[in-house]
Amino acid sequence: MGEKLITVKEVSLNNNCPECFSKEGLELTFKQKFIETKFSKSITQEIATEMHCNVCDTTIYPVNWTEDIERIYEYQMKAFVPKKASKKYNSLFWIIIGITAAVIIAAVVLVLINLPV
């Protein structure tokens, strides 16, 4: 339970890695925030990105990006379509709602039955 980032899309880039200068292995990952509680699961609109080089096994932070990498990043951000924000309620939520509704209905019925005529 709690918050986590789920990978939505991974893009291989043909740019040189700023660390090892390899033209292969640079990868941009788009992640979306996923929140799970006892009562619901939801996907938010919050997006996180991460750039990683698989050749030198290094995370590439924006401070180290070249102009080419920044240009490709901006293009990929425009092209990226996140999953729709959604919320799904678990069965525990619906059970509690059902029990609460049944108690309220029972209370109303009891009050109506005991009203003086």
Side-chain angles (χ1 to χ4, degrees), residues 3 8 10 12-13 19 21 25 29 40 44 53-54 77 88 90-91 112:
E3 300 177 359
V8 179
E10 290 181 346
S12 295
L13 305 177
E19 298 293 323
F21 304 106
T29 305
S40 67
T44 65
C53 179
N54 294 324
M77 282 299 289
K88 182 180 178 186
N90 294 344
S91 56
L112 290 176

Side-chain angles (χ1 to χ4, degrees), residues 13 20 24-25 32 39 43 57-59 61 73 79 91 97 111:
L13 305 177
C20 68
E24 301 161 1
Q32 204 163 356
F39 302 111
I43 296 175
D57 197 31
T58 306
T59 300
Y61 296 102
Y73 175 80
S91 56
I97 293 293
V111 167

Side-chain angles (χ1 to χ4, degrees), residues 29-86:
T29 305
F30 293 92
K31 296 181 178 189
Q32 204 163 356
K33 192 176 197 178
F34 177 77
I35 301 172
E36 186 174 4
T37 65
K38 292 179 182 178
F39 302 111
S40 67
K41 295 178 183 179
S42 62
I43 296 175
T44 65
Q45 284 297 105
E46 189 174 323
I47 304 296
T49 58
E50 180 180 290
M51 193 172 299
H52 185 80
C53 179
N54 294 324
V55 174
C56 62
D57 197 31
T58 306
T59 300
I60 310 299
Y61 296 102
V63 170
N64 299 334
W65 291 359
T66 62
E67 287 183 25
D68 291 337
I69 291 175
E70 287 181 24
R71 210 169 317 143
I72 294 296
Y73 175 80
E74 288 173 15
Y75 171 78
Q76 291 295 338
M77 282 299 289
K78 288 179 184 176
F80 174 68
V81 179
K83 290 185 177 185
K84 271 187 169 176
S86 65

